[in-house]
């Protein structure tokens, strides 16, 4: 849904710009950072509707960051999509088992990426409405 706030955690400038541009064209509002540590802080402060989390990051990695987000009542209900280089061979099932709400390979396919973002946002809105 246009107007929803999405937090991008990605250390690669080109990947960050692509994701930001694709989301902004669709009417989403984005904030971004290059590190998991700052991402956790921004999530607490800004309460985004969704977080896009790179797995390989300088300092804390994306999987550890997810555990921190899940442990904090302020951020535990925010869905997080893992975005990872396909060379890393992270399997979708393994990432979902870690607690990610979705999974995308880099380089992203814009169509698949936007479908997944829309699907996860919708599922999360549904979960909220049901509770
Ligand atoms: Mn990275």
């Amino acid at each position: 849904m246009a107007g929803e706030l999405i937090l991008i955690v990605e250390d690669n400038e080109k990947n960050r710009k692509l994701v930001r541009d694709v989301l902004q064209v669709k009417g989403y509002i984005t904030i971004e950072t290059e590190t998991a540590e700052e991402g956790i802080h921004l999530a607490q402060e800004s309460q985004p509707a969704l977080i896009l989390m790179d797995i390989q990051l300088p300092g804390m990695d994306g999987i550890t960051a997810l555990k921190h987000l899940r442990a904090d009542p302020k951020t535990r209900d925010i869905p997080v999509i893992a975005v990872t280089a396909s060379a890393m061979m992270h399997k979708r099932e393994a990432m979902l088992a870690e607690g990610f709400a979705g999974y995308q390979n880099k380089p992203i396919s814009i169509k698949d990426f936007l479908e997944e973002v829309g699907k996860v946002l919708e599922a999360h809105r549904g979960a909220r409405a049901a509770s």
Side-chain angles (χ1 to χ4, degrees):
M1 196 185 291
E4 285 175 298
L5 180 66
I6 299 180
L7 168 61
I8 303 163
V9 184
E10 165 65 74
D11 62 312
N12 180 281
E13 165 62 29
K14 280 185 186 167
N15 290 337
R16 210 166 55 242
K17 179 179 178 356
L18 174 61
V19 168
R20 174 206 308 146
D21 289 350
V22 163
L23 291 173
Q24 289 186 355
V25 162
K26 287 291 170 186
Y28 296 111
I29 298 163
T30 65
I31 48 175
E32 59 190 64
T33 175
E34 299 179 24
T35 69
E37 291 86 346
E38 176 71 8
I40 291 166
H41 180 70
L42 280 174
Q44 291 164 342
E45 297 276 299
S46 308
Q47 295 290 306
L50 173 68
I51 301 171
L52 299 168
M53 182 69 75
D54 183 19
I55 299 305
Q56 277 200 297
L57 292 162
M60 187 190 296
D61 66 82
I63 294 173
T64 306
L66 180 71
K67 295 187 198 317
H68 283 272
L69 291 165
R70 288 293 163 266
D72 185 337
K74 277 190 284 187
T75 56
R76 73 177 166 214
D77 294 327
I78 302 171
V80 184
I81 294 178
V83 185
T84 183
S86 46
M88 292 304 292
M89 299 294 285
H90 287 113
K91 294 282 183 282
R92 167 178 284 268
E93 289 69 24
M95 301 310 279
L96 298 185
E98 292 282 355
F100 287 98
Y103 171 81
Q104 287 288 298
N105 271 323
K106 287 186 284 190
I108 61 164
S109 147
I110 291 172
K111 183 170 173 287
D112 287 354
F113 175 77
L114 285 172
E115 275 178 16
E116 179 117 316
V117 164
K119 199 173 66 182
V120 170
L121 281 169
E122 192 180 337
H124 189 65
R125 283 195 299 268
R128 264 189 195 155
S131 66

